[in-house]
Amino acid sequence: MDMQVAKKKLGLKEKYQVMTRGLDWEPSYQKKEDIYPYASYEGIKIHDWDKWEDPFRLTMDAYWKYQAEKERKLYAIIDAYAQNNGHLNVTDARYINTVKLFLTGVSPLEYMAHRGFAHAGRAFPGAGPRVACLMQSLDEIRHAQTQIHALSNFNKHYNGLHDFRHMHDRVWYLSVPKSFFDDAVTAGPFEFMVAIGFSFEYVLTNLLFVPFVSGAAYNGDMGTMTFGFSAQSDEARHMTLGLEVIKFILEQDPDNLPIVQRWIDKWTWRGYRVLTLVAMMMDYMLPKRTMSWKEAWEVYFEENGGALFKDLARYGITMPKCAETIALEKDHLSHQAWGTFYNYGAAAAFHTWVPEKEEMDWLAAKYPESFDKYYRPRLEFWREQAAKGKRFYNKTLPMLCQTCQIPMLFTEPGDPSKICYREVDYQGSKYHFCSDHCKAIFEHEPEKYVQSWLPVHQIYQGNCFPEGTDPTAEGFDPLAAVLQYYHLEFGRDNLDFEGSEDQKNFDLWRGQATKNG
């Protein structure tokens, strides 16, 4: 009788091949181009989908095991944080405004990334990228859920976090991150992978997550810190996926190079414009600061990103053209953004304020060539006016950039005393831009960007008022109507931080907790 021989256990590489490549099949009664219509219309040429390699070689059984363990740890910490009144352990109520900005501006993007990767996975003919996109799609919806759950504790105690999903689709400054992902998900699958999988995940994610999560930890917010670190472990895999996408496309055909280079140029700039919110948060909104925006950009993009582009140089990829402009703007970006939000604080979903003297000294130390010369005098003037009861709120509506949808607040590269303004005439209409790069993006695809939903235009057209509003009624207040449309309550969710309900309640609760404990 023959003796049974135990089957050899599959190695990691063999197991990955069986559980990914073995899922593919060749269609028999439908043409492949009909099943995957988006695989060719961008002009990208792929000759061998089997050349795709995932360095992690992650299979679904391993994925569920790793993520389940992370979920158990994450929710144990979130529950403990909530039960121990963790919202009172943050440094100052001003910190809560960074949470509001993150929940309304970033968490919905995680959900959009989930949808985008699900669509891209469906569009790719190759089994390898389909599996990778499936896992990242699951990662992204998990990130959205864990962020919402972690931050929901603050919603019990502070204003402005009550209707983040509604606000994301309507509030004027949130059209900036929203338009970024709307632009990406309405592109083809290859451009989406370059936009999100590479430019956002690999080049820009560290500038989004690391400063925010480090700032949360430094300011006593252990719940936010925990979900951030939980997500960041996924980001390592996402960054690798993004880099593999670029290498895979470039290795398949030399004709792919100019297309990919144009996408990298475009999406690096678009992502950088979204990071304006992060720059402002780092320099102005954290009571205890970890590093300046300028330092973060130099570390995570100029050094780390520079090394990455040196690695990609062998494929013919060069540093994005916008890097030179960004280098000139890094001394000014956060100051100009905060000045704009201070002006328009009556229409924001968070509070604004003038930094204290010690904070201005910190900014002067971090920005020795620009802060004292251009921005301290302005801030000190605003403080003096507020002390006289003349706190300034700008009730006009700013011109928006047609591409990035940010108000025209940025200055000319190399001249911080002059607003940067560009325009294009297209089919009888005039379009405005905040930079040469946004203008160039528009000129390449004008049919797409003429459709931009610009909040200021929509307000002027009467499309941002609650149903049944009569703008011709006597005493009509357009700002009040817009805030109602945003689901913001005037004075509770916006205006100045000094004297706000959030400040008063935080001081009261903190005092009671100290007294009782």
Side-chain angles (χ1 to χ4, degrees):
M1 188 170 90
D2 293 335
M3 186 173 65
Q4 288 186 335
V5 178
K7 293 183 179 180
K8 183 181 178 182
K9 187 175 181 180
L10 293 175
L12 181 62
K13 184 175 182 179
E14 291 79 10
K15 186 177 181 181
Y16 174 73
Q17 288 285 339
V18 170
M19 299 186 74
T20 57
R21 301 306 192 275
L23 299 175
D24 204 10
W25 69 91
E26 285 297 320
S28 57
Y29 60 90
Q30 291 288 342
K31 291 185 291 186
K32 206 161 189 175
E33 53 266 30
D34 292 337
I35 301 174
Y36 303 107
Y38 297 109
S40 59
Y41 91 100
E42 294 169 286
I44 294 295
K45 301 174 183 177
I46 304 297
H47 303 293
D48 185 0
W49 283 99
D50 287 335
K51 292 292 184 180
W52 172 278
E53 284 294 336
D54 179 357
F56 285 87
R57 296 193 173 93
L58 190 63
T59 58
M60 289 309 300
D61 59 337
Y63 177 85
W64 297 124
K65 176 183 176 182
Y66 298 150
Q67 298 299 70
E69 183 63 27
K70 287 163 62 175
E71 295 284 271
R72 282 192 291 269
K73 294 177 180 178
L74 171 66
Y75 281 98
I77 295 173
I78 290 175
D79 289 343
Y81 183 75
Q83 291 171 16
N84 286 280
N85 290 323
H87 68 282
L88 297 179
N89 294 328
V90 298
T91 49
D92 188 281
R94 287 183 303 168
Y95 166 77
I96 307 301
N97 291 282
T98 66
V99 173
K100 298 176 186 178
L101 188 57
F102 190 91
L103 180 65
T104 55
V106 177
S107 296
L109 303 186
E110 303 276 18
Y111 178 75
M112 288 302 296
H114 149 71
R115 293 183 61 188
F117 278 103
H119 173 70
R122 167 61 184 86
F124 286 139
R130 286 207 299 269
V131 173
C133 285
L134 167 64
M135 293 185 191
Q136 182 154 348
S137 180
L138 293 171
D139 282 342
E140 302 295 0
I141 198 167
R142 172 182 174 271
H143 294 176
Q145 292 170 340
T146 55
Q147 288 166 21
I148 293 165
H149 289 164
L151 300 180
S152 65
N153 182 53
F154 289 110
N155 186 44
K156 302 174 185 177
H157 309 286
Y158 304 101
N159 300 316
L161 298 103
H162 55 285
D163 209 348
F164 70 93
R165 195 67 190 88
H166 176 90
M167 295 179 193
H168 181 72
D169 289 339
R170 293 164 177 81
V171 176
W172 60 278
Y173 58 88
L174 297 178
S175 71
V176 176
K178 181 178 185 296
S179 72
F180 177 91
F181 260 85
D182 285 352
D183 192 350
V185 298
T186 53
F190 289 104
E191 183 177 354
F192 177 85
M193 294 299 291
V194 174
I196 309 304
F198 179 74
S199 290
F200 193 79
E201 296 284 3
Y202 201 102
V203 181
L204 301 169
T205 284
N206 287 331
L207 282 156
L208 174 65
F209 266 96
V210 176
F212 176 74
V213 174
S214 300
Y218 208 50
N219 283 274
D221 183 2
M222 295 299 104
T224 296
M225 178 203 72
T226 305
F227 85 61
F229 286 150
S230 179
Q232 193 64 16
S233 60
D234 294 332
E235 300 299 342
R237 190 171 68 256
H238 298 176
M239 288 188 282
T240 304
L241 172 62
L243 185 58
E244 288 304 309
V245 167
I246 295 294
K247 292 181 177 180
F248 170 72
I249 296 173
L250 294 174
E251 289 170 351
Q252 286 293 306
D253 196 286
D255 290 345
N256 295 338
L257 174 60
I259 302 174
V260 172
Q261 181 70 63
R262 187 179 67 248
W263 286 341
I264 290 176
D265 292 348
K266 168 187 174 180
W267 288 103
T268 300
W269 179 255
R270 290 230 59 195
Y272 163 73
R273 276 295 187 241
V274 174
L275 291 175
T276 300
L277 299 175
V278 179
M280 179 182 76
M281 179 268 290
M282 291 180 65
D283 283 346
Y284 283 86
M285 299 179 73
L286 292 175
K288 291 183 68 176
R289 295 159 175 79
T290 53
M291 65 194 310
S292 69
W293 163 255
K294 179 181 177 181
E295 291 171 322
W297 182 261
E298 290 172 346
V299 170
Y300 293 114
F301 185 84
E302 292 182 353
E303 294 180 19
N304 296 355
L308 167 67
F309 282 103
K310 287 180 181 177
D311 180 48
L312 291 175
R314 68 178 186 270
Y315 296 97
I317 294 294
T318 60
M319 178 67 75
K321 299 174 183 176
C322 60
E324 296 178 7
T325 302
I326 299 172
L328 296 173
E329 284 192 356
K330 64 186 178 184
D331 258 302
H332 306 278
L333 182 69
S334 64
H335 315 303
Q336 294 175 2
W338 185 249
T340 300
F341 274 92
Y342 185 82
N343 272 260
Y344 292 98
F350 55 88
H351 304 294
T352 56
W353 56 88
V354 174
E356 301 294 337
K357 181 182 180 303
E358 296 77 15
E359 295 170 326
M360 291 196 203
D361 291 341
W362 182 87
L363 289 167
K366 297 297 182 180
Y367 297 93
E369 298 179 3
S370 61
F371 183 76
D372 282 343
K373 182 177 181 180
Y374 297 107
Y375 304 108
R376 185 194 286 266
R378 178 190 302 173
L379 292 166
E380 290 178 342
F381 174 76
W382 286 340
R383 178 177 293 284
E384 292 171 2
Q385 293 300 302
K388 296 176 183 177
K390 299 180 180 179
R391 201 299 195 188
F392 178 69
Y393 291 106
N394 192 335
K395 292 190 176 182
T396 64
L397 298 179
M399 184 184 294
L400 302 183
C401 174
Q402 189 73 24
T403 301
C404 71
Q405 304 195 16
I406 296 181
M408 307 284 277
L409 63 99
F410 302 105
T411 53
E412 289 283 356
D415 184 1
S417 66
K418 183 180 180 181
I419 295 293
C420 184
Y421 176 89
R422 304 291 184 268
E423 64 179 43
V424 169
D425 289 308
Y426 178 72
Q427 293 186 347
S429 295
K430 193 178 294 294
Y431 298 91
H432 311 100
F433 306 93
C434 69
S435 62
D436 291 317
H437 306 289
C438 280
K439 176 175 175 284
I441 291 170
F442 174 90
E443 289 176 321
H444 183 70
E445 298 178 280
E447 317 83 11
K448 185 174 192 177
Y449 295 100
V450 296
Q451 303 176 58
S452 296
W453 195 92
L454 301 177
V456 168
H457 293 194
Q458 297 300 318
I459 291 171
Y460 276 128
Q461 292 173 29
N463 297 326
C464 295
F465 301 143
E467 188 174 351
T469 298
D470 180 9
T472 65
E474 186 177 352
F476 173 71
D477 185 345
L479 176 59
V482 169
L483 291 179
Q484 190 178 355
Y485 172 77
Y486 288 168
H487 289 187
L488 295 178
E489 186 173 339
F490 190 76
R492 283 171 53 89
D493 303 320
N494 58 358
L495 302 182
D496 196 36
F497 173 74
E498 302 297 332
S500 67
E501 284 190 11
D502 282 350
Q503 183 191 38
K504 292 176 182 176
N505 288 337
F506 182 83
D507 292 343
L508 176 64
W509 297 330
R510 174 72 74 81
Q512 289 176 344
T514 303
K515 183 178 179 181
N516 296 334

